[in-house]
Amino acid sequence: MTRAEQDARQEGGGHAGKAGTSGWAGTAGTAVAVSDEGLPAWLRPLARAARTIAPEQLSRFLPPEEGGRQAAVLILFGEGDRGPELLLMERAGSLRSHAGQPSFPGGALDPEDGDPATTGPLRAALREAEEETGLDPAGVQIFGVLPRLYIPVSGFVVTPVLGWWRSPSPFRAVDPAETARVFTVPVADLTDPANRATAIHPSGHHGPAFLVESALVWGFTAGVIDRIAHFAGWERPWDRTRQVPLDWRS
């Protein structure tokens, strides 16, 4: 169990975002909880794996001992018309960096989120998800926290926060200047070998990619999805020699 999970259990217990509480946001003193109680059967393997996964099992890019800007992302799973699904957003094509690239909702921690080493990332993930997609954090149950990872190109130290969309709410691209669209992807599509490939950047970097919902998911987001599928037991054999080239603007 991560330190963030330990502190969250001590603070709140039960489900995150229960009606009548403000544990998902507000000041650093408000309660926030991590709980795997009541999860659907298909999410339980991921909840178990999250307790023991080591950082190096997720990425070769690990946080430096000092420095880096603290951030968090919300990896939100729900139930859709086609079964289990994952919430993603696509960055606006006009942005100077990572234009048009799909990602998880998330962003940098604010001072009011609290301690970056404990429950600050949980609050930040829910706050950013609401600001970017308009979802209601009260319907999200945080059930796990993955080890912090590093994005060298931006200098962010990112905490992936796992959520179960216990009570789904409407979502949208709140700021079109920043976000082109918000969409869900069936987990079945993410694990379909026909939708998988290896993305090759001109810099020489290569990593997993997913061609889903008219989007190419690659980079940090695809890497985390790939590892989640593996450790949750959802992964299916796929052709790792199938390549998708990226350009310098990516």
Side-chain angles (χ1 to χ4, degrees):
M1 184 184 299
T2 67
R3 185 179 172 190
E5 287 182 302
Q6 292 172 336
D7 280 48
R9 289 179 188 274
Q10 291 170 359
E11 277 192 27
H15 295 301
K18 285 185 177 178
T21 72
S22 57
W24 56 269
T27 64
T30 55
V32 64
V34 176
S35 172
D36 57 12
E37 179 184 351
L39 288 181
W42 59 271
L43 265 182
R44 291 173 193 160
L46 177 55
R48 289 193 295 269
R51 303 187 194 112
T52 59
I53 291 175
E56 57 271 17
Q57 292 178 295
L58 293 176
S59 174
R60 62 189 178 92
F61 299 113
L62 304 182
E65 292 186 6
E66 295 182 1
R69 189 178 182 190
Q70 298 296 320
V73 295
L74 180 64
I75 304 174
L76 183 59
F77 293 97
E79 286 277 5
D81 294 337
R82 294 181 52 203
E85 61 184 14
L86 175 66
L87 183 73
L88 294 175
M89 48 185 278
E90 187 173 299
R91 292 169 60 85
S94 59
L95 295 177
R96 288 189 297 175
S97 61
H98 305 296
Q101 185 173 341
S103 67
F104 303 117
L109 269 66
D110 285 346
E112 59 266 28
D113 293 324
D115 187 355
T118 57
T119 54
L122 280 65
R123 294 188 181 89
L126 289 169
R127 174 183 54 75
E128 286 282 344
E130 181 182 24
E131 292 175 0
E132 293 176 331
T133 75
L135 64 76
D136 182 0
V140 176
Q141 175 183 339
I142 296 176
F143 68 88
V145 182
L146 297 179
R148 295 186 305 160
L149 303 174
Y150 187 55
I151 303 180
V153 67
S154 62
F156 279 111
V157 176
V158 182
T159 300
V161 177
L162 300 172
W164 160 237
W165 214 347
R166 182 169 40 83
S167 300
S169 55
F171 58 88
R172 69 191 190 284
V174 174
D175 183 357
E178 296 285 338
T179 306
R181 62 174 175 145
V182 181
F183 59 101
T184 58
V185 181
V187 171
D189 287 354
L190 291 167
T191 58
D192 186 342
N195 297 331
R196 303 212 56 180
T198 298
I200 307 295
H201 194 276
S203 66
H205 174 76
H206 60 87
F210 301 83
L211 296 94
V212 290
E213 300 296 322
S214 303
L216 173 62
V217 184
W218 64 282
F220 173 84
T221 303
V224 173
I225 294 173
D226 173 79
R227 293 295 80 199
I228 284 176
H230 174 76
F231 286 107
W234 305 337
E235 188 176 34
R236 298 163 59 188
W238 57 283
D239 183 4
R240 297 175 185 271
T241 66
R242 180 190 181 196
Q243 297 183 353
V244 176
L246 303 170
D247 61 37
W248 283 109
R249 294 172 295 175
S250 299

